[in-house]
Amino acid sequence: MSRTVLAVGGHIGDMDLTAGPTLAKLIGEGDRAIILACTYGERGHPRLSPGEYRVQKVREGEQFASDIGAEFRVLDYSDGFLPDDDEAANQIADIIRAEKPEIVITHWHKSIHRDHERTAILVERARFLASLPVDSPLGRHGVKQILHADNWEDAEGFEPDLYVPIPEDAFQRWRAAIQNQAFARGETYGFRYIDYYTAMMTAKGCLAGTDRACGFAVGGSSKFELAGP
């Protein structure tokens, strides 16, 4: 039976980098994946205005999702100004109620980016709100598992306890798709994101006994199987 996985990032591109290879693997196995960005991530380009980069970021997010076979959503919040309130949490909760994901992937709780930290808080709150018997035409839904993705910007206290093997075809689909995002190519801050996450998958593969793997910290006490056979 196919599953639905919802990956929630602070900015367009966050989950593409960190959870993208795993989403590509799951989609290849028949699962459904939705990538949700809480903000546009439009303030990070040294040469483009936020308005110009916002248009580009949305286009890049849509293209990445299409290339790996996922769905793309973005909330209407500006980079650096994501609120930590029930209005934002309820927007995510409504997506959870409507789409009924078994698994939600998001940021770790500690980060150098406030939007990342707030996204993690909002996801936890949204999970709770979506599970309540409220007067909503979407009903209620309980998310079985929250996973926190391995992100170099969210490293404080992060310890992966789940390794998901990434097969070659999923890796190649992810790599081809992520090349189309300017920040991932190093055109904004100059950081070699694609090289870093490719190397990290190789390192995690050494720990998992496979060629490549993505590491996640499992939220809560139960572990939901992602590794497959």
Side-chain angles (χ1 to χ4, degrees), residues 22-39:
T22 299
L23 299 179
K25 164 194 162 67
L26 295 175
I27 291 165
E29 295 171 350
D31 291 328
R32 176 189 180 212
I34 303 167
I35 301 172
L36 171 65
C38 290
T39 80

Side-chain angles (χ1 to χ4, degrees), residues 6 11 31-32 37 41 92 101 108 111 125 137 169 174 185 212 226 228:
L6 173 64
H11 315 98
D31 291 328
R32 176 189 180 212
I92 301 172
W108 182 238
S111 177
R125 179 64 173 162
D169 65 323
W174 169 79
R185 296 192 300 267
R212 297 184 185 90
L226 270 182

